[in-house]
Amino acid sequence: MKYYIISGEASGDLHGSNLMKALYKQDSKADIRFWGGNLMKSVGGDLVMHYKERQFMGFSEVILNLRKVLGHIKYCKADIVTFQPDVIIFIDNSGFNLRIAKWAKAQKYRTHYYISPQVWASRASRVEKIKLYIDAMYCILPFEKAFYKKYDYDVHFVGHPLIDAIANRPQVNEHNFRKTHNLSGQPIIALLPGSRKQEITKMLGVMLSVVDDFKDYQFVIAGAPSQDFHFYKTFIKKNNIQFISNKTYDLLSLSSAALVTSGTATLETALFKVPQVVCYKASSISYQIAKRIITLKFISLVNLIMDREVVTELIQADLNTKRLKKELTAILNPEKREQLFLDYYELEQKLGGRGASDNTAKLIYNAIKND
C-alpha cells in the first residue's frame, strides 16, 4: 500500500523514522513518500521536502513568511494528487497539517494523525476540525484520551515513542565519547537551546551567561542537526564551552544536569533521568499572543504529564542570569536530585510501556486493509 507521511522538525523526523520502520514490518510492499528529515530518509521511501526548508517559530515568524508557507501547502497538495496514497499520515506540526487534512478529507483520502496537535494547550475549538478532517488519531500522552473524550472523539493511546527511541539507542562508551569530542573529565552540564534559529538566538546567550559561576563543570552545547556549527560559533565566547552536533542522546546519557528549551527535549531529558531547568523565551509579539490563548498551568511536558511542578520553568523575563544560576545550583544539590529521580521514575510509568511505533503502524495497516 502507499503511505504519504507529513512531519516537521527534528522530533517529527525521529518519530516518523520509527513509524516507517514499523510500517515496513507490517507491510513488506509499503510504498512511502514523506516530508521529513535525514532519519526518515535513512529508513527508505522518497523524501519530498526536508523540514529545514520550512522551519518558522512563533506567530510573527509564520506571518512574515506566509507566502512561502502557502507555497509549501500548494506543492504538498499537488504532490499528494500525483502520488495517490492509500492513507495520509500526519505527525504533529498542526499549523501545516490541519490545512492539508481539511483539503485531503474533501478529496476522499484516508487521514490518520500520529502525535496529536496540542489542542489541549490552546484553541480547543480545533477539536471540532480534527473530528471532521481526521479518520483516526493516535495519541502519545496519557491525558489526551480523556481530553478528547470530553468532545465525544474516540482516540487511541499508543504509548510514547521516546520510550522506544531511548531504549533502542546504542549504548555510549564514556571514555571514547569524551576522547572523540575533546571533553575533560569534569561532570557535564548539557545545554539544549532548541533546533530553530529563532529559539537558539533567544535562549543560548542566557544559558551561557552562567558558565563562569560553575567552574567545576564542563558546559556542552547540544547542536541540532538542522543547524551547522558556524551559526552556534557566534555565541561561543569562551574556550571552556564545547559543542557537539547531533549527539544529544549520547550527551544526555553522560550529563549531570541540563538547561533545556521547552519542548520535546524536556521529556527526553527526564527519561534520561537528568535534572533540568526548563527555559523559554520568545519574541515579545509571539509571547503576548501565546499568553492570551494558552490556558495551561505549565509549559513543559514533564510538568504537564505529572500535573504538578516537577521541574522549574523559567519563562520570558524570568529567564535571566540570576534566576538561572539559582535554579542550576538547586538541581546540583544531592537532595533535590534524589527527589527528581523519583519523580522521573513516576513520569515514565505514566507514559506506558514500549511499542508506540509498532502499535500505531499495526492500527493504521489494519484500518486500511479492513476498510
Side-chain angles (χ1 to χ4, degrees), residues 115-328:
I115 306 179
S116 168
Q118 296 181 353
V119 287
W120 36 265
S122 65
R123 293 179 289 171
S125 59
R126 287 181 296 170
V127 174
E128 297 305 324
K129 294 180 179 179
I130 289 171
K131 289 172 65 175
L132 287 173
Y133 309 153
I134 304 300
D135 296 326
M137 174 69 73
Y138 309 101
C139 295
I140 64 171
L141 297 173
F143 58 79
E144 289 177 320
K145 190 172 180 68
F147 169 82
Y148 277 113
K149 190 173 183 180
K150 293 190 299 185
Y151 295 88
D152 196 29
Y153 187 50
D154 190 26
V155 303
H156 304 278
F157 172 57
V158 294
H160 204 292
L162 282 180
I163 301 290
D164 290 328
I166 291 172
N168 295 335
R169 69 180 183 87
Q171 295 299 304
V172 62
N173 180 291
E174 181 172 0
H175 174 76
N176 292 342
F177 185 83
R178 287 181 180 270
K179 185 177 179 180
T180 299
H181 298 288
N182 298 312
L183 303 181
S184 71
Q186 289 180 304
I188 295 169
I189 295 176
L191 305 181
L192 280 63
S195 60
R196 297 164 171 168
K197 284 188 175 180
Q198 296 98 323
E199 61 187 354
I200 294 168
T201 300
K202 294 285 185 184
M203 242 69 67
L204 187 53
V206 185
M207 291 179 174
L208 290 172
S209 70
V210 302
V211 170
D212 288 340
D213 295 301
F214 298 88
K215 295 187 181 297
D216 294 333
Y217 293 85
Q218 183 169 203
F219 285 75
V220 183
I221 300 169
S226 55
Q227 309 297 339
D228 59 37
F229 174 66
H230 294 290
F231 172 67
Y232 291 94
K233 192 175 180 181
T234 60
F235 299 94
I236 302 173
K237 309 298 182 185
K238 301 177 187 296
N239 293 328
N240 60 338
I241 300 165
Q242 300 298 321
F243 173 86
I244 301 176
S245 181
N246 202 22
K247 295 287 182 182
T248 301
Y249 281 10
D250 289 348
L251 179 61
L252 284 174
S253 72
L254 303 176
S255 294
S256 297
L259 306 181
V260 187
T261 296
S262 178
T264 304
T266 64
L267 187 55
E268 291 172 314
T269 302
L271 291 173
F272 275 99
K273 309 300 187 292
V274 179
Q276 64 181 296
V277 180
V278 177
C279 307
Y280 178 80
K281 183 175 284 190
S283 68
S284 297
I285 295 173
S286 294
Y287 179 68
Q288 290 303 322
I289 295 173
K291 246 180 39 168
R292 286 160 174 75
I293 65 173
I294 294 176
T295 58
L296 300 173
K297 292 185 292 183
F298 307 109
I299 63 168
S300 70
L301 285 172
V302 176
N303 292 343
L304 286 168
I305 293 167
M306 295 292 283
D307 197 27
R308 58 186 173 87
E309 184 179 282
V310 169
V311 295
T312 298
E313 301 176 350
L314 298 181
I315 304 171
Q316 211 67 3
D318 286 336
L319 180 58
N320 57 64
T321 303
K322 183 177 180 181
R323 281 295 309 277
L324 198 56
K325 177 184 174 182
K326 176 185 176 184
E327 299 303 336
L328 180 53

